[in-house]
Amino acid sequence: MAGAGHSSGFNPHLPGARYQFLAKALGATMWFFIFYRAREDGPKLLGLRHPWEGHGHGQHDGHAEHH
C-alpha cells in the first residue's frame, strides 16, 4: 500500500494547449459528422424508411406510372 507521501511511479504530464485544441476540434468534427449522417440515414438504418424512398426521384414531372 502506498503511503500519503509516496507516489505510484506513474506521473503522466498534461498535453500542451495545441494538442488540447486539436483534440477538441477533431472530437467536435466527429460528432457533427455522426449527427449529420444520423439525420440523413437514420430512418433508413432504423427501418422507418426504405432506401429507395425519398428525395422525390421516383416521380418525374408529377406523373406516376400505373401498371
Side-chain angles (χ1 to χ4, degrees):
M1 298 270 263
H6 182 57
S7 71
S8 65
F10 179 67
N11 298 313
H13 64 280
L14 296 176
R18 182 183 316 165
Y19 294 107
Q20 287 179 348
F21 176 78
L22 183 62
K24 288 180 184 177
L26 289 174
T29 302
M30 174 193 68
W31 282 112
F32 287 136
F33 180 75
I34 288 172
F35 288 136
Y36 172 76
R37 294 311 309 168
R39 187 183 75 192
E40 294 292 320
D41 296 336
K44 295 172 196 159
L45 291 174
L46 296 174
L48 301 175
R49 190 172 68 197
H50 294 293
W52 55 85
E53 292 177 351
H55 303 301
H57 294 299
Q59 298 178 359
H60 299 286
D61 299 327
H63 301 295
E65 293 184 31
H66 298 291
H67 291 261

